[in-house]
Amino acid sequence: MKFRLSQIIESAPSLRGRAGGEAVGLAILRLLTILLILLAIAARRDMQVVGYSFEQKEMVADTMTVAADTMVIHTALLADDVFGYAGTTPLDIYILNDTVVKVVPLENTETPEFFAEAVGIANSWNGKKVSEAYTMPVDAVSGATLSSNAIIENARRGFAYASKHSGQGTSIDLSVKLVVTLLVLLAGMILPIFFRAKKMRTAILVLDVVVLGLWSGTFISYSMLVGIASNGLSLTSAASLIPILLLIVAFIYPLFGKKAHYCTHICPFGAAQELANRVPCKNVRLGAKTIKALTEMRRILWWILTLLMLLGVCFEWMDYELFIAFIFSSAKNIIIVFAIITLILSVFTPRPYCRFVCPTGYLLKLSFPHKRK
């Protein structure tokens, strides 16, 4: 007889004995398997796991160099514990006569769409005195919050070093965007557990799309998960709360019976599909065989992508997940087109991308037991 986690949660008040232990053990085993898969993919792509490198990388010899009276601060070592969306974001900061000449982002493993959106803030400090640049407020870019925050923290540590301050720099100040994002994320994590009013759910879905999607670009993707597996999770700023909360709701909630809570209550693209399905229109009813075939296609797709990555190829597909469409100012046209097509299909059938395509959603689904249909 197999024991399911959902059955254990439903009978939690009376749960005793060996059955509960076996089910919890099964859930933990699933989580460990997912973790090992992500670590293996990170090792193949970046040759490192949780910040530990398997190959000798070329390191910046000095944190500061001087050429033709221009001081160049290299932040690779100053901020090697500061991570953006998928990795570290080192900078070269050029300073002449105590004035910032330019801030140049260096090679990194950030998702191109996110980094392209965030990199413009590097010009914010040009022409500023070092002391002014160190203290001036710089807002993260909408849709690329994690990459932006990493650039900001790299710059501040570089300015602190240039001013002969502590190389530890300062943590990123709480911004309005960060506070609102955290509040919306917490609302999606907590309110649906206790309240099921339709109006409240609608409000949460709208906030997911507007705040988590369009404004701050807060969502789980394969690129994010592999980036964390590769570089570890930074705990140096308030912004670190966002990925921590996302991981909790995605992987810890299912242990307590709240499986798919992230997908149904927080994911901004899932929310957009659900809202689209509320457009007054007759739904197309898919037959049981069709649903089974499409579901099986998603499973096959996930295994193909996973095997290819474990073989060391086809990592680029992670840059084409439809979540990136929220960063519409820099997302590839093909991503935006497919996102629009998906939303149109969502008018006629509920959450087609979530149910029949999403590799990230399938990965999350694997982390907890399911009921057989």
Side-chain angles (χ1 to χ4, degrees):
M1 179 178 181
K2 295 184 178 179
F3 295 92
R4 301 281 176 189
L5 179 60
S6 57
Q7 296 172 338
I8 292 175
I9 299 301
E10 291 170 0
S11 60
S14 59
L15 180 63
R16 296 290 185 275
R18 181 179 176 184
E22 290 181 353
V24 171
L26 176 60
I28 294 175
L29 181 60
R30 286 173 176 266
L31 282 175
L32 290 176
T33 301
I34 296 302
L35 176 60
L36 289 175
I37 291 174
L38 291 172
L39 291 174
I41 293 172
R44 290 293 290 169
R45 188 188 72 172
D46 303 327
M47 292 300 293
Q48 69 175 35
V49 294
V50 292
Y52 178 80
S53 177
F54 298 126
E55 63 179 0
Q56 187 67 32
K57 294 184 178 180
E58 182 179 354
M59 300 296 293
V60 178
D62 299 300
T63 299
M64 180 181 73
T65 57
V66 179
D69 297 326
T70 299
M71 176 191 301
V72 183
I73 304 297
H74 314 286
T75 69
L77 300 180
L78 291 176
D80 60 353
D81 61 335
V82 175
F83 304 118
Y85 188 78
T88 56
T89 58
L91 308 172
D92 274 353
I93 302 173
Y94 292 78
I95 300 171
L96 177 63
N97 297 328
D98 197 40
T99 301
V100 179
V101 177
K102 61 181 177 179
V103 177
V104 180
L106 303 179
E107 183 179 354
N108 58 70
T109 59
E110 292 290 89
T111 299
E113 283 75 14
F114 289 116
F115 199 72
E117 188 74 7
V119 72
I121 64 174
N123 297 323
S124 302
W125 299 285
N126 293 353
K128 306 293 184 182
K129 292 294 185 181
V130 171
S131 58
E132 181 184 0
Y134 177 78
T135 58
M136 68 179 286
V138 178
D139 292 331
V141 176
S142 297
T145 304
L146 296 179
S147 295
S148 301
N149 285 336
I151 292 174
I152 293 170
E153 182 65 10
N154 268 265
R156 289 184 176 177
R157 292 193 184 189
F159 299 142
Y161 186 91
S163 301
K164 301 186 185 300
H165 290 182
S166 170
Q168 296 301 313
T170 183
S171 61
I172 299 170
D173 298 330
L174 285 171
S175 65
V176 173
K177 181 185 296 183
L178 177 58
V179 172
V180 173
T181 299
L182 287 172
L183 289 175
V184 172
L185 182 53
L186 288 170
M189 293 175 65
I190 297 172
L191 293 182
I193 296 176
F194 301 100
F195 307 100
R196 297 187 178 182
K198 185 175 181 179
K199 290 184 178 180
M200 187 204 70
R201 174 161 180 78
T202 300
I204 289 178
L205 292 175
V206 171
L207 288 172
D208 287 344
V209 173
V210 174
V211 176
L212 300 186
L214 296 174
W215 194 27
S216 65
T218 299
F219 44 77
I220 293 177
S221 69
Y222 241 95
S223 182
M224 172 194 176
L225 293 173
V226 174
I228 291 175
S230 175
N231 300 286
L233 190 60
S234 173
L235 302 175
T236 59
S237 69
S240 303
L241 289 173
I242 291 177
I244 291 173
L245 291 176
L246 289 174
L247 292 177
I248 288 174
V249 73
F251 294 106
I252 304 303
Y253 267 41
L255 296 177
F256 297 91
K258 302 300 178 183
K259 59 184 182 180
H261 189 97
Y262 168 80
C263 296
T264 56
H265 298 292
I266 292 176
C267 176
F269 195 63
Q273 291 174 80
E274 182 169 334
L275 291 172
N277 189 245
R278 295 187 182 186
V279 173
C281 184
K282 185 177 181 180
N283 275 10
V284 176
R285 295 181 62 87
L286 301 178
K289 291 184 178 180
T290 301
I291 293 176
K292 183 177 180 180
L294 291 172
T295 302
E296 181 67 10
M297 284 178 58
R298 180 174 81 150
R299 186 181 73 85
I300 294 173
L301 172 65
W302 184 85
W303 275 110
I304 290 174
L305 293 174
T306 300
L307 290 174
L308 287 174
M309 289 187 293
L310 291 175
L311 291 173
V313 296
C314 197
F315 298 109
E316 294 79 7
W317 74 265
M318 288 185 278
D319 297 333
Y320 288 85
E321 289 192 278
L322 295 191
F323 314 119
I324 299 173
F326 283 110
I327 313 174
F328 53 85
S329 61
S330 60
K332 292 181 175 64
N333 290 334
I334 190 171
I335 297 176
I336 296 176
V337 169
F338 275 110
I340 293 174
I341 292 174
T342 299
L343 292 179
I344 293 174
L345 292 175
S346 300
V347 174
F348 304 101
T349 187
R351 294 176 176 251
Y353 183 77
C354 298
R355 294 192 294 160
F356 306 131
V357 180
C358 184
T360 296
Y362 189 80
L363 178 75
L364 300 183
K365 185 178 179 181
L366 287 178
S367 67
F368 52 86
H370 323 288
K371 292 182 179 179
R372 292 182 183 274
K373 294 185 178 180

